[in-house]
Amino acid sequence: MSDIAPQKTEHHPPIIRIAGLSKSFQSETGSFQALRGIDLDIDKGEFVCLLGASGCGKSTLLRIIAGFETASEGTASVFDRPVEAPGPDRGIVFQDYALFPWLTVHENIAFGPKHAGMSAKEVKRIADKFTEMVGLTEFIHHFPSQLSGGMKQRVAIARVLANDTDILLMDEPFGALDALTRAKLQEELLDIWQQTKLTVIFVTHSVEEAVVLADRIVVMSAGPGRVDCDMTVDLPRPRDVSSEPFNAIRRTVAERLSSNLAPGRRLTAGDAA
Amino acid sequence: MANEVNTTTPSETVASGGTPPAQPAFGRAVARRLRKIGLGLIFPLALIGFWEFMVRWTGTRLIPPPGDVLTMMWDFAFGGIYEDAFSASLPIHLWVSLQRVYGGFLAAALIGIPLGVALGRSPLLRAMLDPTLSLLRPVPVTAWLPLSMIFFGLGPKSAVFLVFLGAFYPILLNTVFGVKSVDERLLEAAAMLGCKGSQLFRSVVLPAATPSIFNGLRLGHGFAWILIVVGEMTGVPEGLGAVIMDGRTLSRTDLVITGMIVIGVTGFLSDRLIVLLNNRLLRWSPQHHV
Ligand SMILES: Nc1ncnc2c1ncn2[C@@H]1O[C@H](COP(=O)(O)OP(=O)(O)O)[C@@H](O)[C@H]1O
Ligand SMILES: [Mg+2]
């Protein structure tokens, strides 16, 4: 949308560029517009949270970037090429894990490298490395049905990391976890992100989660889904959820989320407080 | 992190303080097992008791008491009692019946599984074959008996054909179902990991459909044992179905009941084999353990 201020001055093209994107679903009862006029550029290495109430089209937007859905209008490009199909450059972590239940932890993590035709030795090396990165070395021979939710999600994350992905697309990945596990995984995800320099788009409906994680929060509003505002979060990491600046930003974001104001300017976290 | 594990090995170590010696896990497992067997035996033993009682009470000569059947079973298996045409003939009858059951069943699996996979994957093939298959399906397999005797003559081939038909539909339909109902999410996950085409089929569709295929195999196997008896009741000299038919013609009810028991036991054991294979291949899925 034109009312979103341009990105900070760029020296390189964004890794993801969404321009004038709309999406309508057709059904017998007619057509339903889920997204309208989305413009969004995401730079390499950014951690972006898509925040919005349920039903505002966050998953749909993510699925278009992933290549599972096609845009009705406009384009989504990754590395300057329009997205046509899912591919290993975009790793997806689903809320319901989507692990292969007949494969062990290690085999799940090895899935991508194995299907890329690497040698068995190389596959094992990679799978070992990422199994260790998510702290599951003890559980390599377990099947997903023998793991807790938090461990399953670790496997899901390791599985896309092992596939040497550039972009991590996460759709409410921690939504089904208890608060403690969730906090732990958030911390681990930030560690991994800092180690790997991945670009992350993280969908959530939790304001706190967005403020804990993001460099940048894109608030979406519904009916039909569009970008309501786009804020930068300048807090240093690790972030202290009880600190005053953290709460100031949380308040601003929460207000923004609950208000139905006209789409606004790009805010910086600082001017809110 | 270890505290996040849901299920691993049950921690069977019981702290034994001043309490009576803690029973080792192994002993308890055996006790549980025995209890289960004991509970399972109550009803059949009562049934045999009731059978004995009813035979004596009514004084019927049409149904032999349990003891006579036991004698018959012994003679059928090992001979040395009646020394007639049926003495010690169990091995041969059992052997031919087993061959026919497994022959028909394997043929049904060899055709049913690939065809089911193809139907599940290809809408075109479904459009072509579904109407025919759906029309033929409600026809009871036993209704095929006359035609099958025309096609294959009086004899074992006809019996094998019936077994094949009976096992074929459950295997086919469950395979189609399994292949069609693969979780879309898993296909998406595989696609985003770079797995496509025939790889997708081998690495995702087939394993995901295995529980359903096994369901079909088990059902089909059950039908195979039902139909072998029907198939062997006409014009076959050997086989457990033929034994039952001979028993009927000769008014040897002890022979009939003996045949029934042998079929029941063999079918059960044979089913356990499939279950064993099932549990081994589907280790990953606790809800598919039988
Ligand atoms: N495949 C689909 N067919 C029809 N409508 C859909 C489909 N997927 C999503 N929608 C609709 O689009 C809207 C946005 O959905 P979604 O992207 O899942 O929202 P969110 O993830 O923000 O909760 C919802 O109203 C949903 O019902
Ligand atoms: Mg969603």
Side-chain angles (χ1 to χ4, degrees), chain A residues 42-83:
Chain A
I42 292 170
D43 286 331
K44 184 161 171 21
E46 265 192 306
F47 197 126
V48 178
C49 276
L50 285 184
L51 179 67
S54 160
C56 71
K58 304 179 299 292
S59 297
T60 306
L61 181 56
L62 205 70
R63 290 174 58 79
I64 290 173
I65 300 171
F68 295 139
E69 308 271 3
T70 51
S72 311
E73 275 171 53
T75 52
S77 321
V78 171
F79 292 115
D80 269 333
R81 247 171 293 150
V83 169

Side-chain angles (χ1 to χ4, degrees), chain A residues 63 68 86-88 90-94 96 98-103 108 111-112 114-115 134-136 138-139 142-143 145-151 154 159-160 163 181 184 188, chain B residues 1-9 182-196 199-200 202-211 281-287:
Chain A
R63 290 174 58 79
F68 295 139
R90 285 148 290 143
I92 299 128
V93 175
F94 302 93
D96 52 7
L99 299 177
F100 303 110
W102 53 87
L103 299 181
N108 263 287
F111 191 91
K114 191 174 158 208
H115 286 87
V134 296
L136 289 177
E138 265 183 81
F139 301 102
H142 283 57
F143 288 105
S145 60
Q146 298 170 298
L147 305 177
S148 70
M151 297 169 84
R154 285 194 178 92
R159 178 173 73 172
V160 290
N163 209 26
T181 312
K184 188 134 193 298
E188 289 179 21
Chain B
M1 207 175 303
N3 56 0
E4 274 180 45
V5 197
N6 279 342
T7 55
T8 38
T9 45
V182 176
D183 185 359
E184 194 59 37
R185 262 298 141 73
L186 295 182
L187 295 173
E188 287 183 356
M192 70 92 178
L193 292 169
C195 169
K196 31 180 156 352
Q199 279 189 332
L200 199 63
R202 251 202 44 224
S203 300
V204 182
V205 176
L206 217 51
T210 317
L281 286 177
L282 299 180
R283 249 176 330 148
W284 50 272
S285 174
Q287 69 266 38

